[in-house]
């Protein structure tokens, strides 16, 4: 089985192979290799691409694969490996082109992010290790996030390096545009029917989140499983009670929430006032 990548975790040498990962310790053998395998630490998921491996402290992330050919994203902590890619992420990986792969890690505001870019598939997947959520990061035009790596500076700032011009860009939680270009934040909810197929009349949606002067979100809905969408309606997040009224009738519905303001965004919940129909 071919080797792919070698790194360290604590006092152990971690060897990534195509279809497995093994941990070794220094046994101080007098002849041959001084290393010996750690009993019970072999992982039956290997590494698809060496440039997907990232190490942060005692945590390792990588793009995994097994002999069935199913790609997945893994992390290892204290020699314990866990699959972190969800079913939707696995579906994206299943049909992806892995000929050009970038990966990086970044930590800001006590959140640790692992990013994986599949350039030929035009997608960047980002895992928030702290919150356990996946997201897709893009450039302003909706293409993949065009950065190949990160570095932490002496003042603990995180710098990204651009893939084409080599420029360095600082990761900040207080800057919401890049070169005066606003980045859209898009949230798509799952379909929701309230556990009943009856019609539901939605009179009001209240948006619970931080009050921010100058901040707005745009809302549109789909009632036919993401096939068609309504027009966007704007909600002013600077108001004491941001809400929408007269939100129509549906059996099942999903929302698309878009934020494109030079402001922070934090939404906690959407409270809905619904009347249940008879059909």
């Amino acid at each position: 089985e071919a080797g792919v990548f070698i790194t360290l975790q604590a006092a152990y040498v971690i060897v990534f192979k195509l279809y497995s990962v093994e941990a070794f310790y220094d046994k101080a053998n007098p002849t041959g290799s001084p290393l010996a395998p750690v009993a019970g630490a072999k992982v039956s998921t290997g590494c698809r691409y060496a440039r997907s491996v990232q190490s942060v402290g005692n945590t390792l992330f990588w793009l995994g694969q097994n002999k069935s050919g199913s790609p997945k994203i893994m992390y290892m902590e204290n020699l314990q490996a866990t699959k972190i890619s969800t079913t939707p992420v696995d579906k994206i990986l299943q049909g992806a082109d892995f000929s050009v792969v970038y990966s990086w890690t970044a930590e800001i505001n006590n959140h640790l992010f692992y990013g994986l870019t599949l350039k030929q598939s035009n997608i960047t997947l980002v895992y928030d290790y702290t919150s356990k959520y996946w997201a897709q990061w893009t450039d302003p035009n909706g293409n993949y996030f065009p950065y190949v790596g990160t570095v932490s500076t002496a003042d603990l700032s995180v710098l990204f390096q651009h893939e084409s011009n080599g420029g360095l860009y600082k990761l900040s939680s207080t800057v919401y545009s890049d070169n005066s270009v606003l980045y859209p934040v898009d949230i798509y909810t799952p379909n929701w029917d309230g556990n009943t197929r009856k019609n539901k009349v939605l009179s009001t949606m209240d948006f619970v989140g931080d009050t921010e002067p100058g901040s707005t979100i745009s809302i549109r809905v789909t009632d036919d499983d993401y096939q068609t969408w309504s027009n966007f309606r704007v909600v002013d997040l600077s108001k004491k009670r941001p809400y929408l009224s007269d939100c129509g009738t549906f059996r099942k519905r999903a929302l698309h929430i878009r934020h494109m303001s030079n402001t922070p965004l934090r939404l906690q919940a959407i409270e809905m006032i619904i009347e249940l129909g008879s059909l």
Side-chain angles (χ1 to χ4, degrees):
E1 186 181 351
V4 177
F5 194 83
I6 296 177
T7 189
L8 295 174
Q9 185 177 74
Y12 302 102
V13 176
I14 310 298
V15 178
F16 292 87
K17 303 178 184 179
L18 282 175
Y19 304 113
S20 64
V21 179
E22 289 193 74
F24 295 85
Y25 71 99
D26 185 1
K27 192 177 180 180
N29 295 319
T31 59
S33 173
L35 300 177
V38 177
K42 186 173 181 177
V43 180
S44 59
T45 299
C47 182
R48 182 72 177 253
Y49 201 93
R51 290 190 65 179
S52 71
V53 181
Q54 291 290 332
S55 175
V56 182
N58 287 325
T59 301
L60 293 169
F61 299 90
W62 75 96
L63 174 62
Q65 66 176 5
N66 52 35
K67 290 188 178 181
S68 71
S70 300
K72 62 199 73 177
I73 298 178
M74 306 286 295
Y75 90 96
M76 177 185 286
E77 199 167 52
N78 299 322
L79 300 185
Q80 299 297 311
T82 304
K83 175 178 175 289
I84 56 174
S85 53
T86 59
T87 298
V89 171
D90 289 340
K91 289 181 179 179
I92 292 172
L93 295 175
Q94 191 65 49
D97 184 331
F98 298 102
S99 56
V100 181
V101 175
Y102 307 139
S103 70
W104 45 263
T105 58
E107 189 167 5
I108 188 169
N109 291 353
N110 295 317
H111 284 257
L112 173 61
F113 297 95
Y114 169 72
L116 180 73
T117 294
L118 310 174
K119 181 176 179 178
Q120 299 308 115
S121 294
N122 196 29
I123 192 166
T124 298
L125 301 170
V126 179
Y127 182 64
D128 183 339
Y129 176 74
T130 308
S131 298
K132 312 303 182 189
Y133 287 120
W134 283 96
Q136 181 182 351
W137 287 19
T138 71
D139 70 2
N141 299 314
N143 297 310
Y144 68 94
F145 194 61
Y147 299 90
V148 296
T150 56
V151 64
S152 180
T153 64
D155 65 355
L156 302 183
S157 298
V158 176
L159 298 180
F160 281 85
Q161 184 173 33
H162 197 280
E163 66 164 347
S164 62
N165 60 31
L168 298 178
Y169 296 80
K170 183 178 179 180
L171 180 64
S172 172
S173 61
T174 58
V175 177
Y176 314 106
S177 64
D178 187 9
N179 285 340
S180 300
V181 177
L182 292 174
Y183 274 68
V185 176
D186 290 297
I187 302 170
Y188 294 88
T189 70
N191 275 315
W192 184 84
D193 64 5
N195 295 321
T196 175
R197 302 299 288 175
K198 291 183 177 181
N199 276 324
K200 289 160 281 289
V201 180
L202 179 56
S203 59
T204 305
M205 287 194 294
D206 282 87
F207 296 87
V208 182
D210 291 345
T211 300
E212 292 291 343
S215 186
T216 63
I217 52 175
S218 299
I219 313 295
R220 63 176 183 168
V221 304
T222 176
D223 296 339
D224 56 6
D225 201 22
Y226 307 96
Q227 297 303 306
T228 60
W229 294 88
S230 67
N231 294 324
F232 277 112
R233 298 176 67 186
V234 177
V235 178
D236 186 349
L237 295 181
S238 68
K239 295 187 177 299
K240 186 176 181 179
R241 183 195 171 194
Y243 73 97
L244 286 177
S245 59
D246 301 322
C247 299
T249 301
F250 66 95
R251 293 185 185 274
K252 66 175 181 179
R253 173 169 287 182
L255 305 179
H256 174 198
I257 304 169
R258 169 167 287 182
H259 179 260
M260 202 167 178
S261 301
N262 194 25
T263 58
L265 171 69
R266 185 167 60 175
L267 295 174
Q268 181 181 11
I270 301 174
E271 296 180 351
M272 297 183 289
I273 299 177
I274 293 176
E275 294 181 9
L276 192 61
S278 59
L279 298 177

